Amino acid sequence: MNRRDFTKQACLMCLGAAILPAALSGCQSTHYTTGTLEQNGISVLKSEFTYLQKDQLQMRSYIIVRNDKLEFPIYVYRFSDTEYSAVLMKCAHQGAELSASGDHLHCPSHGSEFDNRGNMTQGPAEKNLRSFKVLANAEKLFINLS
Ligand code: FES
């Protein structure tokens, strides 16, 4: 390796070391919770949406409720402290479990996509996802499954 190649490679490594942490800090891992089963629904603490980053309280845009009593997980999206959506992560095409990615849901089977309210944005699915009413109080959300 000559001096020019060495310098080029060293610069690329430094650039990667500088960019990678910044890129990763923008990625939030998906947060799962079991919630608490109640009559006609499931409740979730609003605090499930919070996390600490550099001693600052941050808000997640969504969480996933995964409970043994549910056939499919529920994607819960936070629009504001009082407005949330909750949709069943079961594809409206042939019933595969969806993947959540930020403000949309994607089907790994045939590529259907849905927005954060469960509206179909790309086929082959032709229907929206099943969604549930969400009631919010100061501390909790209640997802009405009835
Ligand atoms: S099962 Fe989801 S697109 Fe076919």
Side-chain angles (χ1 to χ4, degrees):
M1 179 182 294
N2 64 30
R3 184 173 178 208
R4 175 179 253 182
D5 289 342
F6 174 79
T7 304
K8 198 165 134 185
Q9 200 165 24
C11 286
L12 287 174
M13 287 173 61
C14 290
L15 189 62
I19 291 173
L20 189 62
L24 289 176
S25 69
C27 300
Q28 289 301 314
S29 59
T30 300
H31 181 73
Y32 294 90
T33 182
T34 56
T36 305
L37 281 172
E38 297 183 18
Q39 190 173 10
N40 298 329
I42 193 160
S43 64
V44 175
L45 292 172
K46 281 184 169 178
S47 59
E48 298 283 358
F49 285 86
T50 61
Y51 66 97
L52 279 176
Q53 185 178 49
K54 295 180 184 169
D55 297 330
Q56 298 280 317
L57 200 60
Q58 306 287 326
M59 297 300 293
R60 296 181 169 89
S61 57
Y62 73 95
I63 61 171
I64 294 177
V65 179
R66 189 182 282 279
N67 189 300
D68 290 344
K69 302 284 186 215
L70 298 172
E71 184 186 1
F72 284 86
I74 297 173
Y75 166 89
V76 184
Y77 192 88
R78 179 186 185 275
F79 296 95
S80 70
D81 191 49
T82 56
E83 186 184 4
Y84 297 81
S85 65
V87 298
L88 193 66
M89 295 178 71
K90 178 181 182 181
C91 185
H93 180 226
Q94 292 180 357
E97 185 169 319
L98 301 170
S99 302
S101 178
D103 63 358
H104 71 280
L105 296 151
H106 171 81
C107 182
S109 291
H110 311 107
S112 289
E113 299 215 357
F114 305 87
D115 69 15
N116 52 17
R117 293 184 189 276
N119 298 313
M120 189 274 296
T121 57
Q122 180 177 306
E126 295 177 343
K127 296 187 295 184
N128 296 333
L129 300 176
R130 182 175 177 201
S131 62
F132 307 102
K133 283 190 178 159
V134 181
L135 301 172
N137 68 22
E139 295 174 7
K140 283 187 200 177
L141 306 178
F142 177 74
I143 302 166
N144 190 333
L145 302 177
S146 60

